[in-house]
Amino acid sequence: MAADANNNGSLLKFGLPKGSLQDSTISLLERAGWKLRQHHRNYFPDVNDSEMKCSLCRVQEIPRYIADGTLDLGLTGKDWIHETGHDKDVVVVSDLVYSKVSNRPARWVLAVAGDSPYKRPEDLAGKKVSTELMNFTKEYFEDANIPVQVEYSWGATEAKVVEGLADAIVEVTETGTTIKAHGLRIIAELMQSNTQLIANREALKDPAKLKKIQQIDMLLHGALDAESMVGLKMNVPEDRIPSILDELPAITAPTVANLWNKDWVSVEIIVNQSVVRDLIPKLVELGAKGIIEYPLNKII
Amino acid sequence: MAADANNNGSLLKFGLPKGSLQDSTISLLERAGWKLRQHHRNYFPDVNDSEMKCSLCRVQEIPRYIADGTLDLGLTGKDWIHETGHDKDVVVVSDLVYSKVSNRPARWVLAVAGDSPYKRPEDLAGKKVSTELMNFTKEYFEDANIPVQVEYSWGATEAKVVEGLADAIVEVTETGTTIKAHGLRIIAELMQSNTQLIANREALKDPAKLKKIQQIDMLLHGALDAESMVGLKMNVPEDRIPSILDELPAITAPTVANLWNKDWVSVEIIVNQSVVRDLIPKLVELGAKGIIEYPLNKII
Amino acid sequence: MAADANNNGSLLKFGLPKGSLQDSTISLLERAGWKLRQHHRNYFPDVNDSEMKCSLCRVQEIPRYIADGTLDLGLTGKDWIHETGHDKDVVVVSDLVYSKVSNRPARWVLAVAGDSPYKRPEDLAGKKVSTELMNFTKEYFEDANIPVQVEYSWGATEAKVVEGLADAIVEVTETGTTIKAHGLRIIAELMQSNTQLIANREALKDPAKLKKIQQIDMLLHGALDAESMVGLKMNVPEDRIPSILDELPAITAPTVANLWNKDWVSVEIIVNQSVVRDLIPKLVELGAKGIIEYPLNKII
Amino acid sequence: MAADANNNGSLLKFGLPKGSLQDSTISLLERAGWKLRQHHRNYFPDVNDSEMKCSLCRVQEIPRYIADGTLDLGLTGKDWIHETGHDKDVVVVSDLVYSKVSNRPARWVLAVAGDSPYKRPEDLAGKKVSTELMNFTKEYFEDANIPVQVEYSWGATEAKVVEGLADAIVEVTETGTTIKAHGLRIIAELMQSNTQLIANREALKDPAKLKKIQQIDMLLHGALDAESMVGLKMNVPEDRIPSILDELPAITAPTVANLWNKDWVSVEIIVNQSVVRDLIPKLVELGAKGIIEYPLNKII
Amino acid sequence: MAADANNNGSLLKFGLPKGSLQDSTISLLERAGWKLRQHHRNYFPDVNDSEMKCSLCRVQEIPRYIADGTLDLGLTGKDWIHETGHDKDVVVVSDLVYSKVSNRPARWVLAVAGDSPYKRPEDLAGKKVSTELMNFTKEYFEDANIPVQVEYSWGATEAKVVEGLADAIVEVTETGTTIKAHGLRIIAELMQSNTQLIANREALKDPAKLKKIQQIDMLLHGALDAESMVGLKMNVPEDRIPSILDELPAITAPTVANLWNKDWVSVEIIVNQSVVRDLIPKLVELGAKGIIEYPLNKII
Amino acid sequence: MAADANNNGSLLKFGLPKGSLQDSTISLLERAGWKLRQHHRNYFPDVNDSEMKCSLCRVQEIPRYIADGTLDLGLTGKDWIHETGHDKDVVVVSDLVYSKVSNRPARWVLAVAGDSPYKRPEDLAGKKVSTELMNFTKEYFEDANIPVQVEYSWGATEAKVVEGLADAIVEVTETGTTIKAHGLRIIAELMQSNTQLIANREALKDPAKLKKIQQIDMLLHGALDAESMVGLKMNVPEDRIPSILDELPAITAPTVANLWNKDWVSVEIIVNQSVVRDLIPKLVELGAKGIIEYPLNKII
């Protein structure tokens, strides 16, 4: 069996998504602490960790390889785990919400021509639906008791409706921009999906592999969380500390240190980047000076 | 039904291959006499012929659309007509051998790792074969009575063997270069394929559509044939004509015209470009002068 | 005066359009018989003709330079000749219909938001119109007695309506594609424009310059016309000549030559490329054989 | 009126410069705390702040839109505010010195051919000056009582002098490189310019908008200042602190913290990046160890 | 010996220049009748001729390989044949004047800083000269009895003078543009060079190789000559033939053919493209009609 | 002498490598504290330090310029210092291990065709070896008493063996990837090389230059070291400090500061990035919370 070929002891076989998620995954791994070097032909990127071996695979194929033990651990989409029927065969270690363009979950939506009469899924009874996600789409319409003809789409699915080759499509989108740019209208959201870290059941029973998986899981989350967090440091008069601390979002307790020869202290906190633009004007008003913001690589 | 949407009278609905064959197909059509203008989103390229409407579709989907009447005429691969099970449902108008890189037919081959022990298809009994052409591959091994596990490959099929995810692959190649560059070895050629012009059975019964199809067929071949043909024109002394004509490849009779005030004539022929480099030295030896070669757009 | 700097005798100073028309103009000149070599910084491309000197200038500036004698001859748009108020100051030698993308004339249109209530120019009374063509637009609305506020647009004019910065725009288009892609609706076509070859009045009185201008004019048209013409050559049985000649579009009389040792003749004609695809099937039906089509560089 | 279209309550309408400043502006806003997502057609980039709406506009047009209330706040050049005659109609909130290539102010200079006889502006009396900044240039020469002919240049202004189409130009430059590369000589600097944050007079009277404008102003400056500042942290023996502090540039008081189990302390300061390369060798000499420099996102 | 590896009988080993001449050489060979297909790694491009094998080599190395029999035939520069000392060891079959950018011979020139005092080669006595062509340059200055220090330049030779690393350079140029763009001044032309077809002395004694070399030589020249030649065809009244023939450049005798049902004849000639723009106006004046110009692939 | 041209007092003339190391060198200098601005023609990039002047030169030429005083300081390869025979003429200030792709030293290896019989250097007796490093290669084989013919390779050295133009090559590689991709086999590593900061002997005697060189050396190392180091900060209960400190790699003593109103302290250390992924899980286990990692610019 092909799968046995790389099966050497406790070396963790880790499958990474090839294609649209590839660059952001490799960059996330690097921030988490693993450097990958890709070669011209992309089989096994080198990784600077002798306890694991990485393969680049299609997201559609990773669930199958995890289920049959060809791989021990993998990053793939919740949507494809379900579509390929491997929900029960793999263990979901955790959810990691990131993507090529945004950090929002992806949505599989049902869309029709903007000027078509269809308003709800049931209006599509007897019509043709084109999608890359055949099993899920059939399941959805069967559960809803709406008889439709589901056809496999080899790509450019949005164009199918425009070209008159289908009446509706089930397609993935993050922001809806491509859907709208084709003049289509979304009439239902059928499923949300995001990247998941999944593991082979047997691999989790091997203590060495389990430890490696937990390390990877912790540090991937640490790197992902750090993207939206920053460090803030400011100088404050000692007597203003209480009023300033009242304003600070309480993630962890602030660090305080002295300023040289002054009745002031330095206060340092870690906050979500999105609150900084509102927080800084308040801090200034409360008497903080010399406020600096600095970037983080990881936060655990 | 989606298919009805564009079904207006005798307008010929012509499906062109999207993707790797797209540019060479559009260029071939232009040399044949039809100019296409593509827009940013590629549904229906404009064509300067009010009797037809072009759609760009995946080669895998064109047979289905021809079979069910969504399209009247299409250019697709013999391989995908067979794979999608539409051999019987569509009419093959003619074969057109051209591609992105060469004018050779494509070959679907069975390939294994260069250093694997497999020498013949039967050595793969009990092994895993990865391919994009599931039906054909299963059929081939069943006919040969070799039990294998065939798995669908979502792309980068050559890498499957290298990564240890499959024992063999069935993949398409023109020159074998990519196969070899992955360190694989071809152990059998399973099928040859080329582009075919296929039509819907009903469309051929509509006289207006039939005439259009015949015109397209004739001119596509005229443009394709002209790629390898050139015109040769030379001046020869009248008395050398017989010996020179003996040398000329006899496609059509040569045209002869007089030279002004001389006992020489101009002789003009159409020949295959590949013979020119050997023909010219002979013609020079036989006394021809002022030999020119000129390019052709079409030859019918 | 700056204009005097290059004013040496009968050397013809020829202004070519910089920017979107630049490549197609240089290619047209090359087919006409003049090779230009551009340098890194585009002042004066070298031209292989010691009787002229070329400058690359903005189309908007060429009319001014022709009018004041800085240049003798130029290629620019009819629209900009009018906009810059030089209609009367320059002599139009001829019209040359070509452009970056098509060989259709350009149209300046009045466009509004697709979902706005404006249907006709008069609906815009009291509104704001954004355009690059200030003078013409003001003139147009004044002539039509419609009071509007015309504002100069520094570019990206279509976006002005979308962004709510204007109620309507006057913008140039060949195919309407960009206008539609911005969701705008054309409510009137205000002017057609095309490239014109224009000359300075004094230059035309200099016999050497006049002769050069006539040569340029003739050969530019020769090269432009050849783009849409091809040569057709075919072998026909002598007795079918009359019926075949009846079918041939009569641009010039066909050339006939003998075939060697046969009762057939070779017939050669020059036809518009657009008729070829319909002509060839008829010729085949009438007995023509060995039909070839070949490209032309020029036709005068 | 078009301007009313987006006028909904206290939503701040913020105009950002399209074109050469676009990328650096968007990057500056991101560091300040606002993420923009641009779409294929650039009208309104999404911004993650429900209290404002961004439009991308030409720098030349922003002063007009601020003056007439189409926009509330904008980033544009001091030069174009003056050129378009809106100096009096808009309120300058602050100066922000940044650009595509450097952080120096831009200069509008008067330049002539390197080998021309002109040494001072007055040498140009009676000559032709080409520029994109018509009003300012006319004003300048009128104030100086030098009669010149000012002509509008549609671009590639430097080439005008080289091509003999003008005797001098008034053009913008940061480093003078392009001017010199065209073989031109600068004979006077006529104006310095930089980006300015400008606001509509009425918008400043709306308390909600005023607060938003102050927040934007504070954080843009915070992000811009942070570009040239870094954090320095070092370990020093307690008794050396005074001598080391003498060397440190006194922006804010240094933060001091203890080292574990040692008679040393950690000293941390924020300094201008440009002094670091001279400061570090001195600190090493004075006994500092483990000096690290880290980057900042913002400094207020 | 490595050279023996490919030494199989009468197969002609043909060395083609890698680098700046590569594309134009491959295109020239294609027009001559040989199609080459290059692979990702450029050792041996496939050629559609079983009697030869092509290698891509540096022009500097081809003379050595021809001299020692590693290759039988090669295209390289006259300059490098001399520089590498192989003038006597190889046989020059013919000169072929073509290059990447023009069809002019290349010139090796002596250039100095534009503002330096050096006017003639002898002014460089005691100075430093930088060049890629060490042997030739030393030879030149020794023959001229001018003592200079010649230093090998690894590239970017023009910059050496600008950077103050050399007082003069000996560098190759076609048009002088790069030399001038660096502010350098040419003070002498030391050698002209062009591509040469060179052969190994032994290869010419092998009749099969000799015949192949002659064929290649004839057809390369045929393709190169055709670049500057075109066909002209025109209709003329029979009685005007003599006066028109007087005007025609007499390369070969014109071909004449009849027009159908008219007292006119068709006259066809092959002329140099550079005379066409002056010839056509004269022909029109003399009564020619329907003048067409068509392109040629080869002329022998 | 050309070298004198720029010899003005204590201005340090610093030669930087042009070509493959150029971008990484400029980026390293920027992190060290010097900003370079390159112009279109690359002689002297501007540097924001009035005490030095930078030139971009070939790595092969820098040793010569340092040796003869044309430059005072330079970055080049150990390999080329040796090859050009300047080992004794220049002073090596320090080694800096960085490159275009990795931070490993480069290796010059002896490689042969994968399917050749050669296993050790001595098997090459009487064979042809192609290399860019002529002197070193001759020296190596002479020292080893193996008679070979060494030929200079103008580039694409790996292809020489594949094309049968050489039996072996001596070529530089970091990872061996290109060597393997050409089907070659490494049979010996002949030399390791890395970038070196080298100085002219006289320059080191000038106190101003010496101080500048020491500053550059210190800060280049500071920037290079910082690439692999990060700051880690964490909150720990006071009583766990000893057990946590036991785990921390002891580069410098940790900084400790108080948390507000808690029995916890903040501990901050600088560690090598490569240990972080193993360190963090241990710290979490030992009770550390709020662990953050932040990037460094420099570490001295």
mmCIF file of all heavy atoms in Angstrom, chain B residues 2-31:
data_model
loop_
_atom_site.group_PDB
_atom_site.id
_atom_site.type_symbol
_atom_site.label_atom_id
_atom_site.label_comp_id
_atom_site.label_asym_id
_atom_site.label_seq_id
_atom_site.Cartn_x
_atom_site.Cartn_y
_atom_site.Cartn_z
ATOM 1 N N ALA B 2 -32.591 25.218 -17.684
ATOM 2 C CA ALA B 2 -31.583 26.212 -18.018
ATOM 3 C C ALA B 2 -31.244 26.188 -19.496
ATOM 4 O O ALA B 2 -31.049 27.217 -20.128
ATOM 5 C CB ALA B 2 -30.323 25.956 -17.197
ATOM 6 N N ALA B 3 -31.178 24.968 -20.082
ATOM 7 C CA ALA B 3 -30.727 24.835 -21.460
ATOM 8 C C ALA B 3 -31.579 25.618 -22.442
ATOM 9 O O ALA B 3 -31.089 26.063 -23.481
ATOM 10 C CB ALA B 3 -30.698 23.364 -21.847
ATOM 11 N N ASP B 4 -32.848 25.790 -22.133
ATOM 12 C CA ASP B 4 -33.733 26.470 -23.082
ATOM 13 C C ASP B 4 -33.425 27.953 -23.236
ATOM 14 O O ASP B 4 -33.729 28.553 -24.261
ATOM 15 C CB ASP B 4 -35.201 26.328 -22.612
ATOM 16 C CG ASP B 4 -35.591 24.865 -22.546
ATOM 17 O OD1 ASP B 4 -36.072 24.331 -23.542
ATOM 18 O OD2 ASP B 4 -35.354 24.255 -21.473
ATOM 19 N N ALA B 5 -32.827 28.496 -22.224
ATOM 20 C CA ALA B 5 -32.649 29.945 -22.172
ATOM 21 C C ALA B 5 -32.138 30.568 -23.468
ATOM 22 O O ALA B 5 -32.598 31.614 -23.906
ATOM 23 C CB ALA B 5 -31.720 30.312 -21.018
ATOM 24 N N ASN B 6 -31.168 29.918 -24.119
ATOM 25 C CA ASN B 6 -30.572 30.539 -25.297
ATOM 26 C C ASN B 6 -31.042 29.920 -26.613
ATOM 27 O O ASN B 6 -30.423 30.104 -27.642
ATOM 28 C CB ASN B 6 -29.046 30.402 -25.244
ATOM 29 C CG ASN B 6 -28.508 31.018 -23.982
ATOM 30 O OD1 ASN B 6 -28.796 32.171 -23.702
ATOM 31 N ND2 ASN B 6 -27.755 30.246 -23.214
ATOM 32 N N ASN B 7 -32.111 29.134 -26.536
ATOM 33 C CA ASN B 7 -32.501 28.316 -27.675
ATOM 34 C C ASN B 7 -33.278 29.077 -28.725
ATOM 35 O O ASN B 7 -34.437 28.796 -28.992
ATOM 36 C CB ASN B 7 -33.361 27.154 -27.128
ATOM 37 C CG ASN B 7 -32.961 25.855 -27.794
ATOM 38 O OD1 ASN B 7 -32.415 25.897 -28.887
ATOM 39 N ND2 ASN B 7 -33.255 24.740 -27.159
ATOM 40 N N ASN B 8 -32.648 30.094 -29.353
ATOM 41 C CA ASN B 8 -33.472 30.886 -30.266
ATOM 42 C C ASN B 8 -33.192 30.559 -31.717
ATOM 43 O O ASN B 8 -32.263 31.022 -32.339
ATOM 44 C CB ASN B 8 -33.288 32.376 -30.011
ATOM 45 C CG ASN B 8 -31.836 32.745 -30.082
ATOM 46 O OD1 ASN B 8 -30.970 31.879 -30.025
ATOM 47 N ND2 ASN B 8 -31.581 34.026 -30.245
ATOM 48 N N GLY B 9 -34.079 29.717 -32.251
ATOM 49 C CA GLY B 9 -34.088 29.406 -33.668
ATOM 50 C C GLY B 9 -32.804 28.804 -34.158
ATOM 51 O O GLY B 9 -32.234 27.909 -33.532
ATOM 52 N N SER B 10 -32.299 29.303 -35.274
ATOM 53 C CA SER B 10 -31.185 28.634 -35.933
ATOM 54 C C SER B 10 -29.831 29.207 -35.533
ATOM 55 O O SER B 10 -28.839 28.917 -36.174
ATOM 56 C CB SER B 10 -31.374 28.742 -37.432
ATOM 57 O OG SER B 10 -31.382 30.109 -37.771
ATOM 58 N N LEU B 11 -29.799 30.018 -34.521
ATOM 59 C CA LEU B 11 -28.518 30.540 -34.038
ATOM 60 C C LEU B 11 -27.703 29.357 -33.520
ATOM 61 O O LEU B 11 -28.159 28.618 -32.651
ATOM 62 C CB LEU B 11 -28.787 31.524 -32.897
ATOM 63 C CG LEU B 11 -27.596 32.303 -32.363
ATOM 64 C CD1 LEU B 11 -27.100 33.317 -33.376
ATOM 65 C CD2 LEU B 11 -28.000 33.018 -31.073
ATOM 66 N N LEU B 12 -26.485 29.179 -34.062
ATOM 67 C CA LEU B 12 -25.676 28.030 -33.667
ATOM 68 C C LEU B 12 -24.947 28.320 -32.356
ATOM 69 O O LEU B 12 -24.163 29.265 -32.259
ATOM 70 C CB LEU B 12 -24.653 27.708 -34.751
ATOM 71 C CG LEU B 12 -23.875 26.420 -34.492
ATOM 72 C CD1 LEU B 12 -24.582 25.245 -35.141
ATOM 73 C CD2 LEU B 12 -22.453 26.532 -34.988
ATOM 74 N N LYS B 13 -25.182 27.483 -31.341
ATOM 75 C CA LYS B 13 -24.523 27.654 -30.053
ATOM 76 C C LYS B 13 -23.233 26.832 -30.039
ATOM 77 O O LYS B 13 -23.277 25.616 -30.047
ATOM 78 C CB LYS B 13 -25.463 27.246 -28.921
ATOM 79 C CG LYS B 13 -26.616 28.237 -28.740
ATOM 80 C CD LYS B 13 -27.750 27.636 -27.928
ATOM 81 C CE LYS B 13 -28.400 26.509 -28.727
ATOM 82 N NZ LYS B 13 -29.357 25.697 -27.988
ATOM 83 N N PHE B 14 -22.100 27.511 -29.977
ATOM 84 C CA PHE B 14 -20.799 26.882 -30.190
ATOM 85 C C PHE B 14 -19.967 26.955 -28.890
ATOM 86 O O PHE B 14 -19.673 28.033 -28.396
ATOM 87 C CB PHE B 14 -20.102 27.635 -31.333
ATOM 88 C CG PHE B 14 -18.839 27.010 -31.861
ATOM 89 C CD1 PHE B 14 -18.395 25.756 -31.465
ATOM 90 C CD2 PHE B 14 -18.068 27.696 -32.803
ATOM 91 C CE1 PHE B 14 -17.238 25.198 -31.997
ATOM 92 C CE2 PHE B 14 -16.899 27.152 -33.334
ATOM 93 C CZ PHE B 14 -16.491 25.892 -32.913
ATOM 94 N N GLY B 15 -19.626 25.797 -28.342
ATOM 95 C CA GLY B 15 -18.856 25.747 -27.085
ATOM 96 C C GLY B 15 -17.365 25.610 -27.338
ATOM 97 O O GLY B 15 -16.921 24.672 -27.991
ATOM 98 N N LEU B 16 -16.604 26.548 -26.799
ATOM 99 C CA LEU B 16 -15.154 26.552 -26.994
ATOM 100 C C LEU B 16 -14.467 26.193 -25.684
ATOM 101 O O LEU B 16 -14.959 26.542 -24.610
ATOM 102 C CB LEU B 16 -14.696 27.944 -27.437
ATOM 103 C CG LEU B 16 -15.422 28.476 -28.662
ATOM 104 C CD1 LEU B 16 -14.942 29.877 -28.975
ATOM 105 C CD2 LEU B 16 -15.191 27.565 -29.853
ATOM 106 N N PRO B 17 -13.333 25.533 -25.759
ATOM 107 C CA PRO B 17 -12.675 25.088 -24.525
ATOM 108 C C PRO B 17 -12.037 26.224 -23.750
ATOM 109 O O PRO B 17 -11.237 26.977 -24.286
ATOM 110 C CB PRO B 17 -11.614 24.114 -25.008
ATOM 111 C CG PRO B 17 -11.387 24.446 -26.429
ATOM 112 C CD PRO B 17 -12.640 25.073 -26.955
ATOM 113 N N LYS B 18 -12.393 26.338 -22.489
ATOM 114 C CA LYS B 18 -11.802 27.302 -21.552
ATOM 115 C C LYS B 18 -10.533 26.669 -20.979
ATOM 116 O O LYS B 18 -10.469 25.465 -20.803
ATOM 117 C CB LYS B 18 -12.813 27.502 -20.425
ATOM 118 C CG LYS B 18 -12.452 28.497 -19.367
ATOM 119 C CD LYS B 18 -13.539 28.509 -18.299
ATOM 120 C CE LYS B 18 -14.494 29.667 -18.547
ATOM 121 N NZ LYS B 18 -15.730 29.567 -17.779
ATOM 122 N N GLY B 19 -9.548 27.469 -20.705
ATOM 123 C CA GLY B 19 -8.352 26.937 -20.049
ATOM 124 C C GLY B 19 -7.190 26.752 -20.986
ATOM 125 O O GLY B 19 -6.923 27.629 -21.802
ATOM 126 N N SER B 20 -6.516 25.585 -20.889
ATOM 127 C CA SER B 20 -5.228 25.461 -21.586
ATOM 128 C C SER B 20 -5.366 25.540 -23.109
ATOM 129 O O SER B 20 -4.454 25.984 -23.791
ATOM 130 C CB SER B 20 -4.507 24.175 -21.164
ATOM 131 O OG SER B 20 -5.150 23.063 -21.709
ATOM 132 N N LEU B 21 -6.491 25.121 -23.671
ATOM 133 C CA LEU B 21 -6.660 25.193 -25.127
ATOM 134 C C LEU B 21 -7.247 26.515 -25.587
ATOM 135 O O LEU B 21 -7.387 26.753 -26.797
ATOM 136 C CB LEU B 21 -7.597 24.084 -25.612
ATOM 137 C CG LEU B 21 -6.975 22.751 -25.972
ATOM 138 C CD1 LEU B 21 -8.026 21.827 -26.525
ATOM 139 C CD2 LEU B 21 -5.862 22.937 -27.007
ATOM 140 N N GLN B 22 -7.648 27.366 -24.657
ATOM 141 C CA GLN B 22 -8.420 28.562 -25.009
ATOM 142 C C GLN B 22 -7.709 29.488 -26.002
ATOM 143 O O GLN B 22 -8.272 29.842 -27.041
ATOM 144 C CB GLN B 22 -8.726 29.313 -23.707
ATOM 145 C CG GLN B 22 -9.570 30.537 -23.851
ATOM 146 C CD GLN B 22 -10.024 31.050 -22.480
ATOM 147 O OE1 GLN B 22 -10.172 30.259 -21.539
ATOM 148 N NE2 GLN B 22 -10.239 32.344 -22.358
ATOM 149 N N ASP B 23 -6.480 29.844 -25.705
ATOM 150 C CA ASP B 23 -5.796 30.795 -26.574
ATOM 151 C C ASP B 23 -5.539 30.227 -27.963
ATOM 152 O O ASP B 23 -5.726 30.913 -28.966
ATOM 153 C CB ASP B 23 -4.462 31.235 -25.947
ATOM 154 C CG ASP B 23 -4.689 32.127 -24.744
ATOM 155 O OD1 ASP B 23 -5.823 32.621 -24.580
ATOM 156 O OD2 ASP B 23 -3.746 32.330 -23.966
ATOM 157 N N SER B 24 -5.125 28.951 -28.037
ATOM 158 C CA SER B 24 -4.831 28.406 -29.356
ATOM 159 C C SER B 24 -6.126 28.209 -30.154
ATOM 160 O O SER B 24 -6.139 28.331 -31.370
ATOM 161 C CB SER B 24 -4.022 27.110 -29.259
ATOM 162 O OG SER B 24 -4.572 26.233 -28.321
ATOM 163 N N THR B 25 -7.231 27.950 -29.470
ATOM 164 C CA THR B 25 -8.513 27.805 -30.168
ATOM 165 C C THR B 25 -8.975 29.150 -30.724
ATOM 166 O O THR B 25 -9.420 29.247 -31.871
ATOM 167 C CB THR B 25 -9.588 27.254 -29.197
ATOM 168 O OG1 THR B 25 -9.147 25.994 -28.722
ATOM 169 C CG2 THR B 25 -10.923 27.119 -29.887
ATOM 170 N N ILE B 26 -8.860 30.191 -29.921
ATOM 171 C CA ILE B 26 -9.289 31.511 -30.381
ATOM 172 C C ILE B 26 -8.412 31.978 -31.537
ATOM 173 O O ILE B 26 -8.890 32.558 -32.513
ATOM 174 C CB ILE B 26 -9.266 32.495 -29.187
ATOM 175 C CG1 ILE B 26 -10.489 32.186 -28.317
ATOM 176 C CG2 ILE B 26 -9.290 33.942 -29.659
ATOM 177 C CD1 ILE B 26 -10.554 32.939 -27.018
ATOM 178 N N SER B 27 -7.141 31.672 -31.479
ATOM 179 C CA SER B 27 -6.243 32.040 -32.567
ATOM 180 C C SER B 27 -6.558 31.235 -33.829
ATOM 181 O O SER B 27 -6.538 31.757 -34.946
ATOM 182 C CB SER B 27 -4.800 31.835 -32.089
ATOM 183 O OG SER B 27 -3.960 31.476 -33.134
ATOM 184 N N LEU B 28 -6.907 29.973 -33.662
ATOM 185 C CA LEU B 28 -7.276 29.141 -34.820
ATOM 186 C C LEU B 28 -8.558 29.672 -35.464
ATOM 187 O O LEU B 28 -8.658 29.787 -36.684
ATOM 188 C CB LEU B 28 -7.474 27.683 -34.369
ATOM 189 C CG LEU B 28 -7.908 26.678 -35.445
ATOM 190 C CD1 LEU B 28 -6.860 26.555 -36.535
ATOM 191 C CD2 LEU B 28 -8.172 25.305 -34.825
ATOM 192 N N LEU B 29 -9.534 30.018 -34.633
ATOM 193 C CA LEU B 29 -10.791 30.561 -35.161
ATOM 194 C C LEU B 29 -10.527 31.864 -35.900
ATOM 195 O O LEU B 29 -11.148 32.134 -36.930
ATOM 196 C CB LEU B 29 -11.783 30.812 -34.021
ATOM 197 C CG LEU B 29 -12.677 29.622 -33.705
ATOM 198 C CD1 LEU B 29 -13.338 29.802 -32.347
ATOM 199 C CD2 LEU B 29 -13.764 29.484 -34.787
ATOM 200 N N GLU B 30 -9.627 32.662 -35.400
ATOM 201 C CA GLU B 30 -9.339 33.937 -36.058
ATOM 202 C C GLU B 30 -8.739 33.690 -37.435
ATOM 203 O O GLU B 30 -9.137 34.316 -38.418
ATOM 204 C CB GLU B 30 -8.385 34.778 -35.200
ATOM 205 C CG GLU B 30 -8.105 36.107 -35.863
ATOM 206 C CD GLU B 30 -7.881 37.218 -34.864
ATOM 207 O OE1 GLU B 30 -7.951 36.968 -33.652
ATOM 208 O OE2 GLU B 30 -7.645 38.356 -35.312
ATOM 209 N N ARG B 31 -7.813 32.747 -37.524
ATOM 210 C CA ARG B 31 -7.237 32.449 -38.833
ATOM 211 C C ARG B 31 -8.289 31.818 -39.761
ATOM 212 O O ARG B 31 -8.257 31.993 -40.961
ATOM 213 C CB ARG B 31 -6.012 31.549 -38.676
ATOM 214 C CG ARG B 31 -4.790 32.376 -38.233
ATOM 215 C CD ARG B 31 -3.595 31.532 -37.912
ATOM 216 N NE ARG B 31 -3.795 30.799 -36.659
ATOM 217 C CZ ARG B 31 -3.695 29.486 -36.498
ATOM 218 N NH1 ARG B 31 -3.354 28.728 -37.531
ATOM 219 N NH2 ARG B 31 -3.912 28.924 -35.325
#
